[in-house]
Amino acid sequence: MLTDKVALVTGASRGIGCAIARKLAEQGAFVYLNYNGSAQKAQEAAAQIVQAGGRAEAVQCNVADFEACKKMIESVIEKSGRLDILVNNAGITKDGLLMKMSEEDYDRVLDTNLKGTFNTIRHASRYLLKQRSGSIINLTSVSGILGNAGQANYSASKAGVIGLTKSTARELASRGIRVNAVAPGYVETDMTDGLSEQVKKQMLQQIPLGRAASPDEIADVALFLASDHSSYMTGQILSVDGGMAM
Ligand code: NAP
């Protein structure tokens, strides 16, 4: 159970982040659901959690903005007095072949996925260090492990998240703070909805389990990493990909 725990999930208005927020709340945590543009969706997701008997609040912040992340973390601490679980889930794709990729598409993906993860950890770590406890969970990807043609920016950002996870885990371990990552494969969300039927078919052929994951299947592993069931794990990258990267 996560009773009395306070969690912040970035990119929780929909998809995997929303599923993680719901599962953390079901276990008793107060959950802050961060969003960037989808205010209505985030507020609806928070309201659904409250209706189901949980505690939740939606918070706007562009994770790519260093100062905005500082304010978001400070407001969580001001309201709840602590932060126990930080899930860095916010992410975007801007796919294209390297030869045609614009500087802007490269920068936007790196700024959101990698710098965004740094930004929240950087500001939250101050409070986690004082608490001498906490669990940080970062969302990386099978693309960050294997690479993926057409996703040079995204793969670089997610490989960066793996390095960031391991370095942060080493820095914070002595204060009882654990830092781990989840590496999903192909998950059915808005992010993958726009892919062509041909690309979806090709991806399914690479998955030994032969199907895409639901957001809940990724959220279950994030919940495990947030809980004391993983109390002796830090610096780990857990693949949840139907066997893609084995
Ligand atoms: P999604 O359905 O597209 O949702 C993305 C979420 O991120 C939304 O809540 C969005 O909020 C938020 N977001 C985007 N930019 C943001 C920003 N600058 N600041 C704050 N929030 C921002 O994506 P998903 O499929 O659930 O993916 C979640 C995570 O899992 C990502 O890190 C993704 O890379 C990773 N992942 C996904 C898959 C997959 O197959 N789906 C596979 C491997 C890894 P707004 O709508 O408010 O902008």
Side-chain angles (χ1 to χ4, degrees):
M1 287 293 279
L2 301 173
T3 319
D4 298 333
K5 302 278 186 199
V6 176
L8 169 63
V9 183
T10 68
S13 55
R14 50 203 167 90
I16 296 168
C18 186
I20 294 173
R22 212 175 41 241
K23 285 199 186 265
L24 293 174
E26 277 168 9
Q27 292 303 310
F30 188 111
V31 184
Y32 289 93
L33 289 90
N34 158 258
Y35 65 94
N36 186 23
S38 309
Q40 200 184 334
K41 281 191 177 170
Q43 275 150 12
E44 278 169 12
Q48 275 171 15
I49 288 174
V50 172
Q51 259 168 22
R55 296 172 301 149
E57 190 180 315
V59 284
Q60 197 283 332
C61 170
N62 173 4
V63 296
D65 184 331
F66 186 75
E67 287 306 320
C69 284
K70 184 168 188 258
K71 284 191 190 132
M72 174 171 67
I73 300 283
E74 281 173 356
S75 100
V76 167
I77 299 293
E78 223 169 80
K79 286 183 202 160
S80 294
R82 57 186 299 114
L83 179 63
D84 302 286
I85 299 156
L86 170 63
V87 183
N88 287 302
N89 165 84
I92 57 167
T93 50
K94 293 274 168 207
D95 295 351
L97 292 174
L98 179 79
M99 289 291 287
K100 290 183 178 169
M101 188 172 287
S102 68
E103 184 183 7
E104 192 198 347
D105 282 353
Y106 182 85
D107 286 346
R108 277 189 62 189
V109 170
L110 268 287
D111 283 352
T112 303
N113 300 3
L114 180 55
K115 192 175 165 230
T117 302
F118 163 76
N119 287 344
T120 59
I121 296 177
R122 166 70 177 76
H123 296 302
S125 58
R126 218 182 114 202
Y127 301 98
L128 301 182
L129 285 167
K130 274 193 214 147
Q131 267 175 210
R132 293 189 158 263
S133 67
S135 176
I136 299 173
I137 298 135
N138 300 325
L139 268 288
T140 176
S141 165
V142 66
S143 301
I145 296 170
L146 298 179
N148 193 19
Q151 288 198 313
N153 49 0
Y154 183 76
S155 304
S157 74
K158 294 299 187 179
V161 167
I162 292 174
L164 181 61
T165 300
K166 292 182 179 181
S167 294
T168 314
R170 287 185 187 277
E171 284 191 31
L172 303 182
S174 66
R175 302 284 189 98
I177 301 155
R178 301 184 297 108
V179 190
N180 294 288
V182 181
Y186 171 16
V187 190
E188 275 172 349
T189 66
D190 292 349
M191 184 175 273
T192 49
D193 201 35
L195 296 171
S196 71
E197 287 309 312
Q198 195 199 345
V199 169
K200 284 182 186 172
K201 207 173 146 194
Q202 278 169 357
M203 278 186 1
L204 287 172
Q205 281 166 357
Q206 293 167 36
I207 304 173
L209 284 181
R211 63 173 178 86
S214 71
D216 275 348
E217 289 177 301
I218 310 304
D220 279 330
V221 178
L223 177 63
F224 165 69
L225 290 173
S227 77
D228 285 344
H229 289 299
S230 59
S231 55
Y232 200 54
M233 290 177 65
T234 197
Q236 300 307 304
I237 315 302
L238 295 190
S239 289
V240 190
D241 60 4
M244 268 176 115
M246 74 168 98

